[in-house]
């Protein structure tokens, strides 16, 4: 059984760490409810174990079945899920800043900083290498396109958010500027490209209609780069101006904060359209019946990051309706996580979820 699991273990499984991690982060956004913070902390600790397990199993596959594992680079769908690895790691980094600091102080910041630079490297590697594979060795067509194209691209902007969250915990001004500039470059390497993919995705669905029901969860992935992009700008609009001022750039700090804030609101508003569209598409799929697969974790992270962006916005804009909307999104996230987690446990126990499309292609 162990050999079967390892041989069929794919990077898709790291989506479980993304969904679990973003829920742990979302539950920490309610400071008036310490019990939610405690649950979020427990989820964060569990997510560290989950990420370590996935890393161990996937590493074992490369060591024991190298030839079969290497086929992933030629697969037009599974290869996209490499982006889940740095995105899952980013939620753990954020957890160190939220849950780790109260317990281990500066050690948590040091760990988060080290992990962040690793995450930056992985994110940029995914954002460059996977598209290059698409251009050179994979077979793609517009009618077969889905939003999974976004996964390797979005990893960089997720790392950018973590960089923005890390800024207030860095003492040295020059290091702060380095992290800020790196985060801005990461954001720029991801969000504009993701917006371009969304344009193609809109055309694909208009011309070729919805993807197969097995890819139903991918309809939510479009919300991911929008929510993360908005969250990144919100975070940097709050932390960036002080960093710029500390490095002799006080003259541009107000403009930076204002532009980032405005951009965040515009992206957040754009996300509402994609959220509504994803709900309508899901309701349409429900008429056909939705077979469960590991891709269902695609329902969680995009919803979660948009919920966190909404709650972050509510701390800046004095409108109670935004905070209520964010809370509703978190409730929906909890319900979806419980459903997908239960089905994943069942599929893990009966081994039905351990499927490697790269091998089935033989």
């Amino acid at each position: 059984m162990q050999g079967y699991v390892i041989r069929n273990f794919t990077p898709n499984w790291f989506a479980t760490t993304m969904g679990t991690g973003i829920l742990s982060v979302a539950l920490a956004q309610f400071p008036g409810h310490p019990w939610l913070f405690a649950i979020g902390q427990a989820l964060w600790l569990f997510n560290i174990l989950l990420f370590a397990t996935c890393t161990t199993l996937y590493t074992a596959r490369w060591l024991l079945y190298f030839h079969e594992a290497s086929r992933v680079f030629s697969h037009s769908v599974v290869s996209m899920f490499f982006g889940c690895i740095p995105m899952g790691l980013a939620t753990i980094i954020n957890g160190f800043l939220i849950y780790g600091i109260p317990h281990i102080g500066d050690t948590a910041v040091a760990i988060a900083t080290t992990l962040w630079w690793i995450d930056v490297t992985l994110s940029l590697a995914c954002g460059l290498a996977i598209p290059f594979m698409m251009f050179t060795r994979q077979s793609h067509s517009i009618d077969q396109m889905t939003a999974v194209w976004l996964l390797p691209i979005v990893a960089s902007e997720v790392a950018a958010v973590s960089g923005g969250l890390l800024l207030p915990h860095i003492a040295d001004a020059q290091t702060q500027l380095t992290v800020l500039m790196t985060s801005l470059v990461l954001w720029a390497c991801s969000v504009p490209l993701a917006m371009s993919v969304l344009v193609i995705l809109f055309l694909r669905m208009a011309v070729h209609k919805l993807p197969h029901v097995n890819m139903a969860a991918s309809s939510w992935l479009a919300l991911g780069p929008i929510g993360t992009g908005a969250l990144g700008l919100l975070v940097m609009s709050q932390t960036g101006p002080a960093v710029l001022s500390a490095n002799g750039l006080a003259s541009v700090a107000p403009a930076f904060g204002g532009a980032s804030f405005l951009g965040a609101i515009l992206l957040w508003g754009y996300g509402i359209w994609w959220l509504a569209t994803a709900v309508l598409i899901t309701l349409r799929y429900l008429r056909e019946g939705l077979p469960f697969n590991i891709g269902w974790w695609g329902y969680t992270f995009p919803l979660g990051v948009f919920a966190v962006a909404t709650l972050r916005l509510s701390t800046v804009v004095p409108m109670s309706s935004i905070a209520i909307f964010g809370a509703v999104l978190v409730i929906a996230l909890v319900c979806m996580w419980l459903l997908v987690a239960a089905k994943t446990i069942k599929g893990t126990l009966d081994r039905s979820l351990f499927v490697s499309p790269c091998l089935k292609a033989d």
Side-chain angles (χ1 to χ4, degrees), residues 276-351:
T277 300
V279 170
L280 291 174
I281 291 175
T282 302
L283 292 174
R284 174 65 175 78
Y285 276 124
L286 284 173
R287 293 168 50 186
E288 304 175 27
L290 286 173
F292 180 74
N293 55 57
I294 198 67
W296 273 40
W297 284 97
Y299 290 114
T300 57
F301 187 80
L303 176 60
V305 76
F306 191 73
V308 173
T310 302
L311 292 172
R312 188 90 181 195
L313 181 63
S314 72
T315 65
V316 182
V317 179
M319 293 178 59
S320 59
S321 57
I322 297 178
I324 294 172
F325 180 45
V328 170
L329 291 177
V330 173
I331 293 172
L333 173 63
V334 170
C335 294
M336 182 55 67
W337 185 89
L338 289 171
L339 173 64
V340 178
K343 288 183 174 293
T344 301
I345 292 172
K346 180 179 181 297
T348 300
L349 293 176
D350 63 20
R351 298 192 300 172

Side-chain angles (χ1 to χ4, degrees), residues 81-132:
F81 286 86
F82 271 113
C84 295
I85 299 176
M87 286 191 280
L89 179 58
T91 64
I92 294 174
I93 294 169
N94 297 346
F96 270 104
L97 300 175
I98 297 170
Y99 302 111
I101 291 177
H103 295 288
I104 55 177
D106 291 340
T107 302
V109 176
I111 294 172
T113 302
T114 301
L115 291 178
W116 184 70
W117 283 111
I118 294 173
D119 195 59
V120 168
T121 303
L122 292 174
S123 298
L124 288 174
C126 287
L128 290 171
I130 302 305
F132 186 73

Side-chain angles (χ1 to χ4, degrees), residues 226-305:
I226 301 171
T228 308
L231 179 59
L233 289 179
L234 278 172
V235 169
M236 284 186 276
S237 72
Q238 295 173 309
T239 59
V243 174
L244 293 173
S245 298
N247 284 274
L249 296 169
S251 60
V252 300
F256 176 87
S260 299
F261 177 65
L262 177 60
I265 292 179
L266 294 177
L267 275 176
W268 180 76
Y270 182 35
I272 291 177
W273 186 91
W274 275 104
L275 173 64
T277 300
V279 170
L280 291 174
I281 291 175
T282 302
L283 292 174
R284 174 65 175 78
Y285 276 124
L286 284 173
R287 293 168 50 186
E288 304 175 27
L290 286 173
F292 180 74
N293 55 57
I294 198 67
W296 273 40
W297 284 97
Y299 290 114
T300 57
F301 187 80
L303 176 60
V305 76

Side-chain angles (χ1 to χ4, degrees), residues 37-98:
F37 188 91
I39 295 174
Q41 181 175 260
L43 274 175
W44 170 65
L45 293 172
F46 170 72
N47 197 42
I48 294 175
L49 177 62
L50 183 61
F51 189 89
T53 301
C54 289
T55 301
T56 300
L57 290 173
Y58 197 48
T59 301
R61 187 187 186 199
W62 277 92
L63 293 175
L64 299 175
Y65 305 98
F66 180 84
H67 177 69
E68 294 178 352
S70 63
R71 297 181 191 178
V72 68
F73 294 116
S74 297
H75 199 278
S76 60
V77 176
V78 181
S79 59
M80 303 297 141
F81 286 86
F82 271 113
C84 295
I85 299 176
M87 286 191 280
L89 179 58
T91 64
I92 294 174
I93 294 169
N94 297 346
F96 270 104
L97 300 175
I98 297 170

Side-chain angles (χ1 to χ4, degrees), residues 16-36:
T16 63
T17 70
M18 292 171 59
T20 303
I22 195 60
L23 178 57
S24 72
V25 172
L27 292 177
Q29 307 304 309
F30 301 92
H33 299 82
W35 60 279
L36 288 177

